[in-house]
Every structure is written in structure tokens, then in C-alpha cells.
Amino acid sequence: LKGGEALYLYQHKKNPSILMLHRLNRAHRNAVAALMAQYHLQDVGNPMLLFILSKGLEEGAVLPSQKQLAQWLHVSPATVANSLKSLERGGYVHKEQNPQDARRNRVSITEKGRQAVLECVKVFETVDNQMLQGFSQEDQAQLMRYQEQMLSNLSQLSEEDCPEDCPPFPPHHPHCHL
């Protein structure tokens, strides 16, 4: 065990369900990363950002600002900027200066980006279906109730609110989109 893992195990010996949540999160991330590599999508970096951009562009909506994207994704605006640069380098999006506002760029998704979104959806569906294999609808409903309660409990600690302009995907706060 690495130093940090040993300390973490010691701290959570009394409540192994917390440790299981972390193991589950790590296993999910690893499974997604492995399938992304199989689909040659390891350079996508942040699939959710690409997904949000593709939905906004398909619907002809005004694209959210980097600040809004950062809020929705629970990352810093700098992380969004770096992810956009990476997506542009990978050929998934194209950026050009907005003629109406020189401080903002227009982002358009490329055909490669559209295909990547479709493949990413397949990856997440595959991983999620595998993860929930053997769970009945009732089991999944109960699991959802537990997860919603955990989110609600944590939101009380952080006083995190759903932004007013929160996108309809993914609901990241237990009270979003109710």
C-alpha cells in the first residue's frame, strides 16, 4: 500500500462503505479509461465537456461561457480552457473568434467530435450496464434513493446550490431539475 492509502484504510476501518464508494469510483474510472483507449478516444480528456458542447451546438443554443461550463462540471475555468485546447488539438472542436465579442471564441464541433460523442456514449453505456448487471429495477431505485440522500447530506456541508442556468444534464445536485 502507498502511504496515503494505508492512512485512508486506517481512517475508514470503522465504516467500510466509505472505502467501497472510493473503490467503486476508481473502478468505474478505470473501466471507462480502458474502453476509451479501445475506441482510440483517450485524447478526449473530458467526455462530458464534449457531450455538453455537442448538445448545445446541435440544438442551436448559445454556448455557455467557460465559467458556466466550469460550474456545471465542478472544475475550474482554467481546466475548461485547457480541455477545450486539448479538444481543439485533437480535432474534436474548432474555435474561432466571435465577431460580435472579441473576448469570446465560437466553438464548433467537428465531424470527428460528433463521432467521438457517439462512441463515448457507447463507452459509458457499456460500463454502466456492466456495473448494474444483476440489479433489479427495485435495487436500482433503492440505490438511487441512497445516492440522493448522500448528495443531499453533502450539499448541506458545502452549501452547494444548483446554478440557475444549470443544464438539464447531468443532474449534479439532488434538487436539480425536480
Side-chain angles (χ1 to χ4, degrees):
L1 290 176
K2 297 174 187 162
E5 288 178 357
L7 176 61
Y8 189 80
L9 285 172
Y10 175 76
Q11 287 175 322
H12 289 92
K13 192 169 28 172
K14 291 181 182 175
N15 192 345
S17 63
I18 299 298
L19 182 59
M20 184 56 72
L21 281 174
H22 291 280
R23 290 180 61 205
L24 178 61
N25 183 32
R26 187 178 308 129
H28 188 272
R29 275 195 330 257
N30 290 343
V32 167
L35 278 181
M36 294 283 281
Q38 286 181 15
Y39 281 90
H40 306 289
L41 295 169
Q42 59 272 22
D43 62 336
V44 168
N46 191 331
M48 187 55 73
L49 176 58
L50 189 60
F51 179 76
I52 289 171
L53 291 173
S54 74
K55 289 299 171 194
L57 293 169
E58 285 175 8
E59 297 162 6
V62 174
L63 286 176
S65 68
Q66 287 185 11
K67 183 178 178 182
Q68 289 169 312
L69 288 169
Q71 287 176 325
W72 296 345
L73 295 169
H74 297 280
V75 299
S76 71
T79 298
V80 170
N82 288 333
S83 293
L84 284 171
K85 285 179 189 173
S86 177
L87 289 171
E88 185 177 27
R89 276 193 309 271
Y92 298 103
V93 298
H94 175 72
K95 290 194 304 188
E96 60 186 50
Q97 195 172 30
N98 185 334
Q100 286 85 25
D101 185 352
R103 297 169 296 169
R104 296 187 72 167
N105 289 322
R106 279 201 241 184
V107 179
S108 57
I109 193 160
T110 64
E111 185 56 35
K112 181 179 180 181
R114 284 184 183 78
Q115 290 304 312
V117 167
L118 296 175
E119 297 298 318
C120 287
V121 167
K122 288 180 193 175
V123 165
F124 280 94
E125 285 177 352
T126 299
V127 171
D128 293 346
N129 288 338
Q130 181 65 35
M131 183 173 63
L132 294 173
Q133 188 175 10
F135 284 80
S136 68
Q137 292 295 339
E138 293 81 22
D139 293 338
Q140 291 181 43
Q142 183 64 44
L143 180 60
M144 179 67 104
R145 285 191 291 277
Y146 290 148
Q147 292 168 331
E148 287 172 344
Q149 180 64 48
M150 286 185 261
L151 280 174
S152 179
N153 293 345
L154 289 173
S155 70
Q156 292 171 19
L157 255 184
S158 66
E159 298 181 12
E160 179 181 282
D161 290 323
C162 182
E164 285 183 27
D165 58 351
C166 183
F169 49 83
H172 59 270
H173 188 272
H175 307 292
C176 288
H177 319 294
L178 298 179

